[in-house]
Amino acid sequence: MPDQLGNPGLPDAPRGRRAWLREHSELGVCVLLLALGTLVLTDALTMDVEIAQRGPIGPKTVPIVVGAGLLVVALLLAVDVLRGGRGEAEGGEDIDLSEPADWRTVLLLAGVFLATAVLIEPVGFPVAGALLFWGAAYALGSRYLDRDPLIAAGLSVVTYEVFNNLLGVPLPGGPLMGVL
C-alpha cells in the first residue's frame, strides 16, 4: 500500500531484530542440527576403536556419515530459510489438535523404558527386551494377552542373538546366558 507521498509501502519489512528472528524461526532448527552434527562428529573422531575394529569399515564410519549429513542438512536448510523458504503448516496428519495429550500412554511407555533400563543388568536382555516389546505394544493399545508376550519373547531372543552372536555387540544375557 503506498504512503501519502505515493511511495510503495513495505508491509513485510522487518521491524527489528525480534521480528526478523520470528520470521526466520526455522534457523533455530538449523542451529540445533549444527550443534548435534558437531557433537556426533566430535564424538566419532575421538572414539577409541582399536579393540572393535574388524575391517576397513569400523565403528566410526556410521557416526561420521551421520554427523556430516547433519551438518549438510543444517547448511542446506539455513540457505533455504534465508532465501525465503518456509515450513508448511501441519495439515496432512490425522491428529485432532483440540484433543488433550494421551498422558496414560506416555507414562506407560516411560515406565516400560525405565523398567527395561533397570532390569537389563540383573535379568539380562532377553527378559528385559521381552518386557520392553510387550509393554510397548500394550501401552500403544494392543490387547492380545495370549499372543503379544510370545511375539515379544521371540523378538527379544532374536534381537539378542543378532547383536550378541552376529554383530559381536555383547548384551547381558542374565540367567539365560547358559541356555541361549
Side-chain angles (χ1 to χ4, degrees):
M1 170 186 287
D3 64 8
Q4 294 175 350
L5 300 174
N7 295 325
L10 300 173
D12 293 331
R15 293 165 301 281
R17 179 185 240 180
R18 182 175 261 168
W20 188 87
L21 287 174
R22 187 171 293 129
E23 291 171 5
H24 297 88
S25 61
E26 289 93 348
L27 290 174
V29 176
C30 298
V31 170
L32 179 67
L33 291 173
L34 181 71
L36 190 59
T38 303
L39 176 69
V40 169
L41 275 177
T42 302
D43 197 32
L45 293 173
T46 59
M47 185 186 307
D48 182 27
V49 296
E50 294 173 11
I51 296 172
Q53 188 74 28
R54 290 188 174 178
I57 298 178
K60 285 185 173 184
T61 306
V62 172
I64 288 174
V65 170
V66 170
L70 286 168
L71 294 179
V72 168
V73 169
L75 177 70
L76 293 174
L77 181 59
V79 168
D80 182 55
V81 169
L82 294 174
R83 287 184 175 173
R86 304 281 304 170
E88 292 185 25
E90 184 80 30
E93 295 189 26
D94 295 333
I95 297 174
D96 186 3
L97 297 176
S98 64
E99 291 291 321
D102 184 7
W103 288 107
R104 179 182 180 274
T105 300
V106 171
L107 292 174
L108 278 172
L109 283 172
V112 166
F113 288 132
L114 183 63
T116 302
V118 169
L119 292 174
I120 198 164
E121 279 298 323
V123 299
F125 182 83
V127 175
L131 173 68
L132 171 69
F133 297 137
W134 175 77
Y138 182 84
L140 294 172
S142 180
R143 296 297 182 259
Y144 295 102
L145 298 178
D146 54 341
R147 180 184 72 183
D148 289 347
L150 296 174
I151 293 173
L155 186 59
S156 180
V157 169
V158 167
T159 303
Y160 174 78
E161 289 293 327
V162 166
F163 275 87
N164 201 52
N165 297 335
L166 293 178
L167 297 176
V169 177
L171 296 175
L176 298 176
M177 182 64 85
V179 177
L180 297 176

